[in-house]
Amino acid sequence: METNRTTERIDLSRRRLLSTAAAGIAAAGAASLLPLPLGAAPAGDAIRPFRIDIPDEQLAELRRRLLATRWPDRETVPDQSQGAQLDKLQELVRYWGTGYDWRKVEARLNALPQFATTIDGVDIHFIHVRSRPPNALPVIVTHGWPGSMIEQLKIIDPLTNPTAHGGRAEDAFDVVIPSVPGYGFSGRPTTTGWDPDRVARAWAELMKRLGYTRYVAQGGDWGTPISSAMARQKAEGLLGIHINLPATVPPEVAASLTGGPLPAGLSDQERAVVEALMKSGKNGNLAYFTMMTARPQSVGYGITDSPVGLAAWILVHPGFAQWSYGADAGKSPSRDDVLDNITLYWLTNTAASSARLYWENGARGSVIVAAAQKTNEIALPVAITVFPEDVYRPPETWARRAYRNLIYFHEVDKGGHFAAWEQPELFSAELRAAFRPLRQS
């Protein structure tokens, strides 16, 4: 069984289980914390209560390493084109080492119903919050890199308790948020083969173990190829998927991005998207993708040994290009939100194991190219929301070519790559609208 023994502490005592449930009820409001009846499941399929309890020694060691950081020279440019800027990162690290409190997010997570189950030899950690309204639609929501379950915490209440967030009771969801193998408190695979297709099969098994016979899936970043693989595999009970960062780039456009000529007949919008992708590539915005696809182990040494190196590596992702390092206290993700996420990677020692997902996907190619992701094999309903500040804004014309059963396409006016984190209310409203036609199917 593959687990992070230093961080996973499962207390099966009746007292701990009851206290966890009581805390969760207070935090989740109208959401029920009881899992679906599991029946007489075989012991190997057992779903176990999960509680996070990071030893004080690990937190002290993190602070020690932060204070002992050996800093490089200041960048020689006035912008982020060389990576995370020294002054901004030093200010963030000062707060991380002296003012930040991991115990706050730990308590927040422990107030939610968390579980673990072993699937295909790897422990899968997940949050499972049920809604009180009857006939709630189950949804499994998948994160990507450099995200985690942390980025999805703010959508739990809007999805499970819609009437408190401008929705209707009949729009309620049961929410399942697993950590991808190699991420967070899920196990770290010790063998190859854990690509998006295999994760998709694990997610189908997870939903089966939870007793769900009708459900939907949502994903952005790596969550898109994982959710798309579930649809392509026709996972039992899956009704449809909602994705942000869809694989819609047509073959002739993909060829132009690797040096070929621009295809004739592009609309102004399509041409603008091609030019934006070319500019992004020339500016090195996908350098992290190239490195982790090619040599995740080499990348892993430095970011496993240095928390500052880990933070700088995570913040190089283009999804953080407009992040102000918490300067705007009212903007999500906040400084603490981002440090919660980075600290999760550090405490679970998943910097290298999470990067290997890129290597596993390497042979397939780009996650935004339709042919690479075999979108023509998806017959189930597909819904897409385009957020204006995301790293890729697909035109609707390409989306309709890529997905033959596209039932929903909407371009919203705010939000970026980490949409659930940045705009949780809008994101939740999009899921309600996108999946509404599937509730009675």
Side-chain angles (χ1 to χ4, degrees):
M1 187 170 65
E2 301 170 38
T3 56
N4 189 336
R5 298 289 183 183
T6 62
T7 55
E8 177 183 355
R9 295 197 177 174
I10 301 173
D11 188 337
L12 298 178
S13 71
R14 183 173 181 271
R15 180 178 300 175
R16 175 64 65 85
L17 186 56
L18 290 175
S19 66
T20 301
I25 290 171
S32 169
L33 303 189
L34 297 177
L36 286 175
L38 299 178
D45 294 348
I47 293 178
R48 312 179 298 275
F50 188 101
R51 184 175 177 81
I52 302 166
D53 187 6
I54 301 298
D56 290 337
E57 293 78 8
Q58 287 195 27
L59 300 176
E61 172 66 7
L62 170 59
R63 288 189 289 270
R64 185 195 69 76
R65 286 174 179 261
L66 291 171
L67 293 174
T69 299
R70 182 187 183 192
W71 293 96
D73 295 336
R74 179 174 283 101
E75 63 280 357
T76 57
V77 292
D79 54 31
Q80 301 180 74
S81 60
Q82 292 183 353
Q85 293 174 282
L86 182 65
D87 290 346
K88 291 181 178 179
L89 189 60
Q90 284 183 325
E91 182 180 355
L92 181 69
V93 169
R94 274 194 294 271
Y95 173 73
W96 193 8
T98 58
Y100 169 76
D101 184 2
W102 162 262
R103 296 299 184 194
K104 290 182 179 180
V105 72
E106 184 177 88
R108 187 179 177 194
L109 289 167
N110 283 336
L112 293 167
Q114 298 177 86
F115 304 93
T117 188
T118 305
I119 300 176
D120 198 5
V122 173
D123 278 0
I124 303 299
H125 167 254
F126 63 98
I127 295 168
H128 181 202
V129 182
R130 294 180 65 201
S131 177
R132 284 197 182 278
N135 303 316
L137 181 63
V139 59
I140 182 167
V141 184
T142 308
H143 66 83
W145 188 94
S148 67
M149 60 180 178
I150 298 291
E151 68 179 287
Q152 292 151 349
L153 294 180
K154 296 180 182 182
I155 64 173
I156 293 175
D157 199 63
L159 292 177
T160 58
N161 187 20
T163 57
H165 299 269
R168 306 175 302 180
E170 55 266 35
D171 290 328
F173 292 87
D174 287 356
V175 177
V176 179
I177 304 176
S179 294
V180 173
Y183 288 72
F185 294 104
S186 282
R188 301 191 296 269
T190 57
T191 59
T192 60
W194 278 96
D195 61 3
D197 282 14
R198 189 169 177 181
V199 177
R201 290 190 290 272
W203 279 192
E205 173 63 21
L206 174 60
M207 296 304 277
K208 181 179 178 181
R209 291 186 188 182
L210 292 174
Y212 290 127
T213 58
R214 297 175 70 260
Y215 67 93
V216 293
Q218 197 288 326
D221 198 271
W222 281 116
T224 290
I226 291 170
S227 300
S228 298
M230 294 179 73
R232 195 173 61 249
Q233 295 165 3
K234 301 180 178 65
E236 183 179 356
L238 182 64
L239 303 176
I241 64 173
H242 174 276
I243 50 180
N244 45 304
L245 197 68
T248 63
V249 175
E252 68 276 12
V253 174
S256 70
L257 295 175
T258 56
L262 277 176
L266 292 176
S267 69
D268 290 344
Q269 181 191 20
E270 291 168 341
R271 183 176 292 273
V273 171
V274 174
E275 291 173 351
L277 289 172
M278 288 181 169
K279 180 179 179 181
S280 178
K282 290 176 181 177
N283 288 343
N285 288 343
L286 293 179
Y288 75 94
F289 190 102
T290 301
M291 282 299 298
M292 293 200 293
T293 299
R295 299 293 184 270
Q297 189 70 16
S298 291
V299 170
Y301 291 116
I303 59 179
T304 297
D305 185 62
S306 167
V308 172
L310 173 64
W313 185 252
I314 284 176
L315 292 173
V316 81
H317 189 284
F320 286 114
Q322 303 303 317
W323 189 58
S324 62
Y325 283 74
D328 184 350
K331 191 173 182 180
S332 184
S334 67
R335 179 172 61 177
D336 274 13
D337 289 337
V338 172
L339 287 177
D340 289 341
N341 184 64
I342 297 172
T343 305
L344 177 66
Y345 275 87
W346 176 262
L347 295 174
T348 56
N349 193 20
T350 50
S353 58
S354 61
R356 293 191 190 107
L357 184 56
Y358 288 80
W359 184 89
E360 293 285 357
N361 182 73
R364 174 164 291 166
S366 174
V367 297
I368 64 170
V369 173
Q373 297 302 318
K374 302 178 182 178
T375 60
N376 64 321
E377 297 180 13
I378 298 176
L380 285 175
V382 175
I384 293 172
T385 300
V386 179
F387 294 88
E389 297 172 12
D390 206 345
V391 295
Y392 170 55
R393 298 176 58 185
E396 185 173 358
T397 50
W398 292 359
R400 296 203 175 277
R401 281 183 61 183
Y403 301 98
R404 54 179 150 153
N405 194 4
L406 184 67
I407 62 168
Y408 183 88
F409 184 94
H410 189 207
E411 296 185 58
V412 295
D413 61 354
K414 54 188 174 182
H417 188 71
F418 305 109
W421 219 1
E422 300 166 21
Q423 300 292 336
E425 296 288 345
L426 175 60
F427 185 89
S428 300
E430 283 296 295
L431 264 63
R432 293 186 206 121
F435 287 132
R436 195 167 288 138
L438 302 183
R439 287 183 178 268
Q440 303 304 321
S441 62

